[in-house]
Amino acid sequence: ILATLRGICECDRYVRAGLWKKGDFKLTTKKNDFFKENSGSIRAVVGNANAGADRELIDSLPALEIVSNFSVGLDKVDLGHCKQKGIRVTNTPDVLTEDVADLAIGLMLATLRGICECDRYVRAGLWKKGDFKLTTKFSGKKVGIIGLGRIGTAIAKRAEAFNCPISYYSRSQKPESKYKYFPSVVELASDCDILVVACALTAETRHIINRQVIDALGPKGFLINIGRGPHIDEPELVSALVERRIAGAGLDVFEKEPHVPEELFGLDNVVLLPHVASGTVETRNAMADLVVGNLEAHFSKKPLLTPVV
Ligand code: 8YV
């Protein structure tokens, strides 16, 4: 159901064919021209997961009042600088939680059960020659979640329905949570079958998945990333996947999007998606409504709907 509705196999083919790069390049060119030509009069900026408002952009727009971001993650917005300059910042929480959590489960199923590889196998006419290899069972696997916020909790709830024992790592233990807490990512990785990155990207969580964590996850472990590419030391992950030092990975995000390490394209133990966790018509419309709603509120001097700064 998830693969069909969310186009998981089509997404995987899109990334492997190198098409992602073509989509984003044109946007970047237009953005630069527009900002240059209108820098003195721009009062609002709408960012997203890949292009927000860094110090340089903020300083080049003297009339800027608000950054209304089309994403929940704000790692591309210099929040400290906005605060200092009195620029308001909003994001799009809650409305995308279900989609991102659905896709995390979709990635787990697609990776462990080889759904995209199966799809390629049938399309290539290989079924006639013999049955597909056996894959890995998902139900009952131990799921470790990094970051038990809104999205992490929604993933845990869904994984529980598959009888998966849940454990988590976060900066501090959540006293209200019934899930097992680990005070370090390495301990969490050693104890689970599937490690899921679901935390915000900050200076502290950059490369939270490093060689040590990958080794702790081990050759039977799977890694799922629906957070941000820089959460993972990507060259370390690529060599672990090539050398089969971990069993597999389901990745929606990459360090230098839309560039994906080409060593991954030929691997059968990965599922590669072009950052589509919130990418449904329903959710993108709800996110757009929030972005516009925040701008309307700001310019009519009403309270912002989802203020961050
Ligand atoms: C992006 C996301 O906003 O909300 C986030 O943090 O990463 C996504 O929802 C979306 O891909 C548009 O860039």
Side-chain angles (χ1 to χ4, degrees), residues 48-50 70-73 92 96 228 275 278 284 287:
N48 67 13
N50 292 311
F70 185 76
S71 71
V72 68
T92 58
L96 47 64
R228 287 286 186 262
H275 200 147
S278 70
R284 288 287 168 85
M287 289 166 69

Side-chain angles (χ1 to χ4, degrees), residues 69-95:
N69 231 51
F70 185 76
S71 71
V72 68
L74 287 166
D75 46 288
K76 287 286 193 309
V77 180
D78 191 330
L79 296 176
H81 201 47
C82 286
K83 199 169 185 181
Q84 205 187 350
K85 295 193 86 167
I87 295 164
R88 306 300 308 272
V89 179
T90 61
N91 65 347
T92 58
D94 300 317
V95 293

Side-chain angles (χ1 to χ4, degrees), residues 207 214 232-240 245 255 261 263:
H207 286 189
I214 290 170
I232 298 180
D233 183 334
E234 207 164 68
E236 282 293 351
L237 176 63
V238 170
S239 48
R245 284 187 282 108
E255 258 198 304
E263 299 98 303

Side-chain angles (χ1 to χ4, degrees), residues 163-218:
N163 292 326
C164 297
I166 311 292
S167 52
Y168 72 101
Y169 162 82
S170 62
R171 267 174 308 179
S172 54
Q173 188 165 3
K174 313 240 175 235
E176 71 286 358
S177 171
K178 59 183 172 179
Y179 307 128
K180 187 168 177 191
Y181 175 70
F182 284 93
S184 86
V185 179
V186 172
E187 286 170 77
L188 178 71
S190 331
D191 191 73
C192 69
D193 303 304
I194 306 170
L195 185 62
V196 187
V197 183
C199 58
L201 179 65
T202 62
E204 294 78 51
T205 64
R206 199 186 130 78
H207 286 189
I208 197 164
I209 305 294
N210 54 25
R211 172 84 188 219
Q212 214 193 345
V213 173
I214 290 170
D215 288 346
L217 190 57

Side-chain angles (χ1 to χ4, degrees), residues 23 26 34 105 137 163 175 190-191 225 238 249 252 265 278:
K26 281 177 199 154
F34 182 81
I105 298 293
K137 181 172 176 166
N163 292 326
S190 331
D191 191 73
N225 191 5
V238 170
D252 185 45
F265 290 3
S278 70

